[in-house]
Amino acid sequence: MSMLANSEHAAGTGEEPPDTGAVRPAAEDRHRLTATQGLAALSLDAMASVAYGPEAIVLVLAAAGAHGLGFTLPVTLAIAALLAVLVASYRQVIAAFPDGGGSYAVAKRHLGRRTSLFTAASLVLDYVLNVAVSVTAGVAALTSAFPSLYGDRLWICLGVLALVTGVNLRGIVDSAKAFIVPTAVFVGSILAVIVVGLFRSAPASTEAAAGHASVLSDNATAVGALLLLKAFAAGCSALTGVEAVANAVPSFRAPATRRAQRTEVALGALLGAMLIGLSVLIGRFHLQPVEGVTVLAQLADASLGHNWAFYVVQFATVILLALAANTSFGGLPVLMSLLARDNYLPHVFGLKADRQVHRHGVLALAAVSALLLVFSGGDVNTLVPLFAIGVFVGFTICQVGMVRHWRQERSAGWRGKALLNGFGAVLTGVSAVVVTATKFTEGAWLIVVALPLLVLVLEAVHRAYGRIGERLGLGRVPEAPRRCHSLVVVPVSSLSRLTSKALTAAVSLGDEVVAVTVAQPDAEGRRAVESLRRDWELWNPGVDLVELPAPSRSSLGRPIVEYVRELSDRHPDNRVTVLIPEVEPAHVWQRLLQNQRGAVVAHAVRRDTDAVICRLRFRIAAGTPR
């Protein structure tokens, strides 16, 4: 049933089949990504994570004092190794699943329906949280530089969200073009900090950290396995966003698979180089974390000096942190479209606009993210404990699924690939457990509760579509179509060109046409009906006019509904159509002048009868009447 349901949905909506990397028309390809544009549109989350990934490691290791900070580079190298495993894995995911979906697609094929839904739910939550965290982190950096804006941070957050949403509604290519420059400036700034810092034997400046208290623990603990594990898990927050390219393969130009793979490799190479380079500088300058100043700011100060270059790095960081939400806008709507195709979300999320935009997915993501921002009051510390848990769940499930993929496929070198994915599954699984455990009491329990609830919602939607498909007889050969007597009912209230157009359409549609008018019970209503009856007889359109008494002045739809029911009961084999004539004004504001009688009648007939509803639009052109 599911296959036929999906086919009907695709045919009914006009949505194209999923892209498999084949050659597409040039006009359509203009609204898809090149490899460079894909890096700008889908990597902002991962790129921006270098602003807080190394800092997360340092803050954990600070519990062991200065000796603990010496393990920053080894922990970062372990994270970089995991990054390499993930990039290699997702490169294979892109090739094996060119329709997009990443972890969800892998789990759906190899691990079963329930696991795939759990994966999808974790990705949905992570993408939504990424938007909220990215926006609040960017605004927090801005208000740190300009404290007077702190009281307005929520409105600034909503403004940034509206900006990113508006750009994405114009298409993923437009968003990529808009964000190429900020991405290039940020990456160039970080690489400049690293390169210049490697040639310095001592910090160029320590002004940024001057006067700020160190957060090194006075009662330093020993550097044990648990501390290193916590530092590793904290630093793995820098890996969020690595999966976005695999989720959004259909957004790339043909050949989509090859372009997406190049983007994934470029993302991994840049992110790894920046993480390792910054960690080397942390050890080289013997940097200590301090209150109120980020590690990245201290590194920029030590490498470039406290000058205009330092402020360029800070400004670029603020911009990219705020815009990192774009990764979610590039990945989540595609994932939602796949869930809609599989009947786990409303089919409206599978529709595309002219610019290849899953508009409803973009708007839904923006709406939920706005609610999160309002809930948190624009405070990043409220949201951070909830972040990155879902993505590690997705990482782990994807790695396990790819192990099964290689075991089933058994292509050349499958054992080595399966071993690589198995190793990655262990690493990401451990990270998921540690991150959840360490952040559980800080709010991570909400994610633990939300994941199964979201899975239940997806399954409820699927069951609803199953019931609809059963009622429609999807998957079974229907009875042959037959012609039945067609009766068209046309509600009228006066004579006009609209009435003439409606009756002309009605006699063209049906074998029998009857006009009906609702007679209000007061004196004014009786006079109006008598006047219409006289005019009707003089006009003599060849269509009978039936008066329907209304029980009250406010009743309009009920008399028509009762008349339609009477017709259906009297002739059950007839097909009754209610044709409702309505005026389509020349200007949008003129809709405020309409009485909405047509909408009231249509709602009543749709709710209480099985009649076909046809709403005839009579367009009024701007200018003088003819």
Side-chain angles (χ1 to χ4, degrees), residues 406-427:
W406 297 126
R407 290 185 62 186
Q408 292 175 9
E409 188 178 85
R410 294 182 179 271
S411 57
W414 71 271
R415 285 186 175 85
K417 295 174 181 177
L419 182 63
L420 183 68
N421 290 132
F423 180 62
V426 172
L427 290 180

PDB file of all heavy atoms in Angstrom, residues 406-427:
ATOM      1  N   TRP A 406      27.780  -3.146   4.393  1.00  0.00           N
ATOM      2  CA  TRP A 406      28.971  -3.786   3.798  1.00  0.00           C
ATOM      3  C   TRP A 406      28.894  -5.299   3.900  1.00  0.00           C
ATOM      4  O   TRP A 406      29.317  -6.016   2.986  1.00  0.00           O
ATOM      5  CB  TRP A 406      30.241  -3.279   4.491  1.00  0.00           C
ATOM      6  CG  TRP A 406      30.484  -1.810   4.319  1.00  0.00           C
ATOM      7  CD1 TRP A 406      30.690  -0.901   5.312  1.00  0.00           C
ATOM      8  CD2 TRP A 406      30.515  -1.068   3.096  1.00  0.00           C
ATOM      9  NE1 TRP A 406      30.844   0.356   4.791  1.00  0.00           N
ATOM     10  CE2 TRP A 406      30.743   0.283   3.435  1.00  0.00           C
ATOM     11  CE3 TRP A 406      30.357  -1.408   1.758  1.00  0.00           C
ATOM     12  CZ2 TRP A 406      30.837   1.283   2.484  1.00  0.00           C
ATOM     13  CZ3 TRP A 406      30.437  -0.415   0.797  1.00  0.00           C
ATOM     14  CH2 TRP A 406      30.677   0.908   1.159  1.00  0.00           C
ATOM     15  N   ARG A 407      28.352  -5.804   4.994  1.00  0.00           N
ATOM     16  CA  ARG A 407      28.242  -7.258   5.142  1.00  0.00           C
ATOM     17  C   ARG A 407      27.295  -7.848   4.111  1.00  0.00           C
ATOM     18  O   ARG A 407      27.506  -8.970   3.628  1.00  0.00           O
ATOM     19  CB  ARG A 407      27.764  -7.603   6.550  1.00  0.00           C
ATOM     20  CG  ARG A 407      28.797  -7.323   7.638  1.00  0.00           C
ATOM     21  CD  ARG A 407      28.307  -7.790   8.982  1.00  0.00           C
ATOM     22  NE  ARG A 407      28.093  -9.239   9.001  1.00  0.00           N
ATOM     23  CZ  ARG A 407      27.553  -9.900  10.027  1.00  0.00           C
ATOM     24  NH1 ARG A 407      27.188  -9.220  11.114  1.00  0.00           N
ATOM     25  NH2 ARG A 407      27.387 -11.198   9.971  1.00  0.00           N
ATOM     26  N   GLN A 408      26.250  -7.099   3.766  1.00  0.00           N
ATOM     27  CA  GLN A 408      25.307  -7.592   2.766  1.00  0.00           C
ATOM     28  C   GLN A 408      25.839  -7.419   1.352  1.00  0.00           C
ATOM     29  O   GLN A 408      25.657  -8.278   0.497  1.00  0.00           O
ATOM     30  CB  GLN A 408      23.966  -6.874   2.916  1.00  0.00           C
ATOM     31  CG  GLN A 408      23.221  -7.213   4.192  1.00  0.00           C
ATOM     32  CD  GLN A 408      21.962  -6.395   4.368  1.00  0.00           C
ATOM     33  OE1 GLN A 408      21.533  -5.681   3.451  1.00  0.00           O
ATOM     34  NE2 GLN A 408      21.354  -6.469   5.550  1.00  0.00           N
ATOM     35  N   GLU A 409      26.517  -6.304   1.113  1.00  0.00           N
ATOM     36  CA  GLU A 409      27.002  -6.021  -0.237  1.00  0.00           C
ATOM     37  C   GLU A 409      28.246  -6.840  -0.589  1.00  0.00           C
ATOM     38  O   GLU A 409      28.397  -7.328  -1.698  1.00  0.00           O
ATOM     39  CB  GLU A 409      27.311  -4.528  -0.367  1.00  0.00           C
ATOM     40  CG  GLU A 409      27.640  -4.090  -1.777  1.00  0.00           C
ATOM     41  CD  GLU A 409      27.890  -2.601  -1.855  1.00  0.00           C
ATOM     42  OE1 GLU A 409      29.034  -2.203  -1.588  1.00  0.00           O
ATOM     43  OE2 GLU A 409      26.952  -1.855  -2.168  1.00  0.00           O
ATOM     44  N   ARG A 410      29.173  -6.959   0.363  1.00  0.00           N
ATOM     45  CA  ARG A 410      30.410  -7.736   0.198  1.00  0.00           C
ATOM     46  C   ARG A 410      31.160  -7.353  -1.073  1.00  0.00           C
ATOM     47  O   ARG A 410      31.608  -8.210  -1.844  1.00  0.00           O
ATOM     48  CB  ARG A 410      30.114  -9.240   0.204  1.00  0.00           C
ATOM     49  CG  ARG A 410      29.613  -9.732   1.540  1.00  0.00           C
ATOM     50  CD  ARG A 410      29.375 -11.223   1.556  1.00  0.00           C
ATOM     51  NE  ARG A 410      28.922 -11.655   2.886  1.00  0.00           N
ATOM     52  CZ  ARG A 410      29.737 -12.015   3.868  1.00  0.00           C
ATOM     53  NH1 ARG A 410      31.049 -12.017   3.662  1.00  0.00           N
ATOM     54  NH2 ARG A 410      29.257 -12.388   5.038  1.00  0.00           N
ATOM     55  N   SER A 411      31.291  -6.032  -1.297  1.00  0.00           N
ATOM     56  CA  SER A 411      32.071  -5.545  -2.441  1.00  0.00           C
ATOM     57  C   SER A 411      33.551  -5.598  -2.089  1.00  0.00           C
ATOM     58  O   SER A 411      33.943  -5.984  -0.986  1.00  0.00           O
ATOM     59  CB  SER A 411      31.642  -4.113  -2.781  1.00  0.00           C
ATOM     60  OG  SER A 411      31.803  -3.266  -1.660  1.00  0.00           O
ATOM     61  N   ALA A 412      34.388  -5.181  -3.023  1.00  0.00           N
ATOM     62  CA  ALA A 412      35.838  -5.227  -2.803  1.00  0.00           C
ATOM     63  C   ALA A 412      36.214  -4.375  -1.589  1.00  0.00           C
ATOM     64  O   ALA A 412      35.811  -3.219  -1.477  1.00  0.00           O
ATOM     65  CB  ALA A 412      36.558  -4.724  -4.057  1.00  0.00           C
ATOM     66  N   GLY A 413      36.997  -4.977  -0.678  1.00  0.00           N
ATOM     67  CA  GLY A 413      37.444  -4.260   0.510  1.00  0.00           C
ATOM     68  C   GLY A 413      36.374  -4.037   1.545  1.00  0.00           C
ATOM     69  O   GLY A 413      36.517  -3.167   2.409  1.00  0.00           O
ATOM     70  N   TRP A 414      35.305  -4.845   1.522  1.00  0.00           N
ATOM     71  CA  TRP A 414      34.183  -4.582   2.420  1.00  0.00           C
ATOM     72  C   TRP A 414      34.560  -4.784   3.893  1.00  0.00           C
ATOM     73  O   TRP A 414      34.018  -4.108   4.763  1.00  0.00           O
ATOM     74  CB  TRP A 414      32.993  -5.461   2.049  1.00  0.00           C
ATOM     75  CG  TRP A 414      33.158  -6.922   2.370  1.00  0.00           C
ATOM     76  CD1 TRP A 414      33.693  -7.886   1.573  1.00  0.00           C
ATOM     77  CD2 TRP A 414      32.786  -7.564   3.593  1.00  0.00           C
ATOM     78  NE1 TRP A 414      33.678  -9.096   2.198  1.00  0.00           N
ATOM     79  CE2 TRP A 414      33.116  -8.931   3.451  1.00  0.00           C
ATOM     80  CE3 TRP A 414      32.200  -7.127   4.788  1.00  0.00           C
ATOM     81  CZ2 TRP A 414      32.887  -9.860   4.455  1.00  0.00           C
ATOM     82  CZ3 TRP A 414      31.968  -8.049   5.781  1.00  0.00           C
ATOM     83  CH2 TRP A 414      32.309  -9.401   5.633  1.00  0.00           C
ATOM     84  N   ARG A 415      35.483  -5.693   4.166  1.00  0.00           N
ATOM     85  CA  ARG A 415      35.856  -5.943   5.557  1.00  0.00           C
ATOM     86  C   ARG A 415      36.504  -4.708   6.189  1.00  0.00           C
ATOM     87  O   ARG A 415      36.207  -4.347   7.326  1.00  0.00           O
ATOM     88  CB  ARG A 415      36.806  -7.147   5.632  1.00  0.00           C
ATOM     89  CG  ARG A 415      36.128  -8.492   5.439  1.00  0.00           C
ATOM     90  CD  ARG A 415      37.101  -9.640   5.678  1.00  0.00           C
ATOM     91  NE  ARG A 415      36.432 -10.924   5.613  1.00  0.00           N
ATOM     92  CZ  ARG A 415      36.213 -11.597   4.471  1.00  0.00           C
ATOM     93  NH1 ARG A 415      36.643 -11.090   3.312  1.00  0.00           N
ATOM     94  NH2 ARG A 415      35.593 -12.752   4.507  1.00  0.00           N
ATOM     95  N   GLY A 416      37.421  -4.071   5.441  1.00  0.00           N
ATOM     96  CA  GLY A 416      38.065  -2.867   5.965  1.00  0.00           C
ATOM     97  C   GLY A 416      37.071  -1.742   6.186  1.00  0.00           C
ATOM     98  O   GLY A 416      37.129  -1.020   7.194  1.00  0.00           O
ATOM     99  N   LYS A 417      36.124  -1.591   5.249  1.00  0.00           N
ATOM    100  CA  LYS A 417      35.118  -0.544   5.389  1.00  0.00           C
ATOM    101  C   LYS A 417      34.193  -0.825   6.572  1.00  0.00           C
ATOM    102  O   LYS A 417      33.840   0.081   7.336  1.00  0.00           O
ATOM    103  CB  LYS A 417      34.308  -0.437   4.093  1.00  0.00           C
ATOM    104  CG  LYS A 417      35.129   0.016   2.886  1.00  0.00           C
ATOM    105  CD  LYS A 417      34.297  -0.033   1.613  1.00  0.00           C
ATOM    106  CE  LYS A 417      35.129   0.394   0.404  1.00  0.00           C
ATOM    107  NZ  LYS A 417      34.377   0.297  -0.855  1.00  0.00           N
ATOM    108  N   ALA A 418      33.821  -2.106   6.728  1.00  0.00           N
ATOM    109  CA  ALA A 418      32.959  -2.462   7.852  1.00  0.00           C
ATOM    110  C   ALA A 418      33.685  -2.255   9.182  1.00  0.00           C
ATOM    111  O   ALA A 418      33.077  -1.805  10.162  1.00  0.00           O
ATOM    112  CB  ALA A 418      32.499  -3.914   7.720  1.00  0.00           C
ATOM    113  N   LEU A 419      34.979  -2.573   9.212  1.00  0.00           N
ATOM    114  CA  LEU A 419      35.760  -2.372  10.429  1.00  0.00           C
ATOM    115  C   LEU A 419      35.838  -0.889  10.780  1.00  0.00           C
ATOM    116  O   LEU A 419      35.710  -0.495  11.943  1.00  0.00           O
ATOM    117  CB  LEU A 419      37.160  -2.946  10.241  1.00  0.00           C
ATOM    118  CG  LEU A 419      38.097  -2.851  11.458  1.00  0.00           C
ATOM    119  CD1 LEU A 419      37.533  -3.654  12.619  1.00  0.00           C
ATOM    120  CD2 LEU A 419      39.502  -3.345  11.088  1.00  0.00           C
ATOM    121  N   LEU A 420      36.029  -0.051   9.749  1.00  0.00           N
ATOM    122  CA  LEU A 420      36.083   1.394   9.962  1.00  0.00           C
ATOM    123  C   LEU A 420      34.774   1.902  10.545  1.00  0.00           C
ATOM    124  O   LEU A 420      34.753   2.663  11.519  1.00  0.00           O
ATOM    125  CB  LEU A 420      36.392   2.099   8.643  1.00  0.00           C
ATOM    126  CG  LEU A 420      36.548   3.618   8.687  1.00  0.00           C
ATOM    127  CD1 LEU A 420      37.799   4.002   9.453  1.00  0.00           C
ATOM    128  CD2 LEU A 420      36.600   4.181   7.272  1.00  0.00           C
ATOM    129  N   ASN A 421      33.653   1.464   9.959  1.00  0.00           N
ATOM    130  CA  ASN A 421      32.348   1.905  10.458  1.00  0.00           C
ATOM    131  C   ASN A 421      32.061   1.350  11.845  1.00  0.00           C
ATOM    132  O   ASN A 421      31.458   2.029  12.679  1.00  0.00           O
ATOM    133  CB  ASN A 421      31.249   1.477   9.491  1.00  0.00           C
ATOM    134  CG  ASN A 421      31.270   2.241   8.180  1.00  0.00           C
ATOM    135  OD1 ASN A 421      31.199   1.651   7.106  1.00  0.00           O
ATOM    136  ND2 ASN A 421      31.403   3.555   8.246  1.00  0.00           N
ATOM    137  N   GLY A 422      32.481   0.120  12.107  1.00  0.00           N
ATOM    138  CA  GLY A 422      32.283  -0.458  13.431  1.00  0.00           C
ATOM    139  C   GLY A 422      33.048   0.302  14.492  1.00  0.00           C
ATOM    140  O   GLY A 422      32.531   0.556  15.590  1.00  0.00           O
ATOM    141  N   PHE A 423      34.288   0.681  14.173  1.00  0.00           N
ATOM    142  CA  PHE A 423      35.100   1.466  15.095  1.00  0.00           C
ATOM    143  C   PHE A 423      34.435   2.820  15.354  1.00  0.00           C
ATOM    144  O   PHE A 423      34.360   3.297  16.486  1.00  0.00           O
ATOM    145  CB  PHE A 423      36.498   1.649  14.514  1.00  0.00           C
ATOM    146  CG  PHE A 423      37.417   2.452  15.383  1.00  0.00           C
ATOM    147  CD1 PHE A 423      37.765   2.030  16.659  1.00  0.00           C
ATOM    148  CD2 PHE A 423      37.948   3.652  14.918  1.00  0.00           C
ATOM    149  CE1 PHE A 423      38.607   2.779  17.460  1.00  0.00           C
ATOM    150  CE2 PHE A 423      38.797   4.404  15.700  1.00  0.00           C
ATOM    151  CZ  PHE A 423      39.124   3.969  16.983  1.00  0.00           C
ATOM    152  N   GLY A 424      33.929   3.432  14.281  1.00  0.00           N
ATOM    153  CA  GLY A 424      33.233   4.709  14.437  1.00  0.00           C
ATOM    154  C   GLY A 424      31.969   4.577  15.274  1.00  0.00           C
ATOM    155  O   GLY A 424      31.647   5.457  16.071  1.00  0.00           O
ATOM    156  N   ALA A 425      31.243   3.459  15.124  1.00  0.00           N
ATOM    157  CA  ALA A 425      30.027   3.242  15.916  1.00  0.00           C
ATOM    158  C   ALA A 425      30.350   3.159  17.401  1.00  0.00           C
ATOM    159  O   ALA A 425      29.614   3.699  18.237  1.00  0.00           O
ATOM    160  CB  ALA A 425      29.327   1.960  15.451  1.00  0.00           C
ATOM    161  N   VAL A 426      31.473   2.488  17.733  1.00  0.00           N
ATOM    162  CA  VAL A 426      31.870   2.395  19.137  1.00  0.00           C
ATOM    163  C   VAL A 426      32.198   3.777  19.694  1.00  0.00           C
ATOM    164  O   VAL A 426      31.744   4.158  20.776  1.00  0.00           O
ATOM    165  CB  VAL A 426      33.082   1.447  19.287  1.00  0.00           C
ATOM    166  CG1 VAL A 426      33.621   1.498  20.719  1.00  0.00           C
ATOM    167  CG2 VAL A 426      32.689   0.020  18.930  1.00  0.00           C
ATOM    168  N   LEU A 427      32.985   4.545  18.932  1.00  0.00           N
ATOM    169  CA  LEU A 427      33.385   5.871  19.398  1.00  0.00           C
ATOM    170  C   LEU A 427      32.176   6.796  19.584  1.00  0.00           C
ATOM    171  O   LEU A 427      32.037   7.463  20.610  1.00  0.00           O
ATOM    172  CB  LEU A 427      34.380   6.495  18.421  1.00  0.00           C
ATOM    173  CG  LEU A 427      35.783   5.877  18.347  1.00  0.00           C
ATOM    174  CD1 LEU A 427      36.627   6.618  17.332  1.00  0.00           C
ATOM    175  CD2 LEU A 427      36.456   5.907  19.707  1.00  0.00           C
TER     176      LEU A 427
END
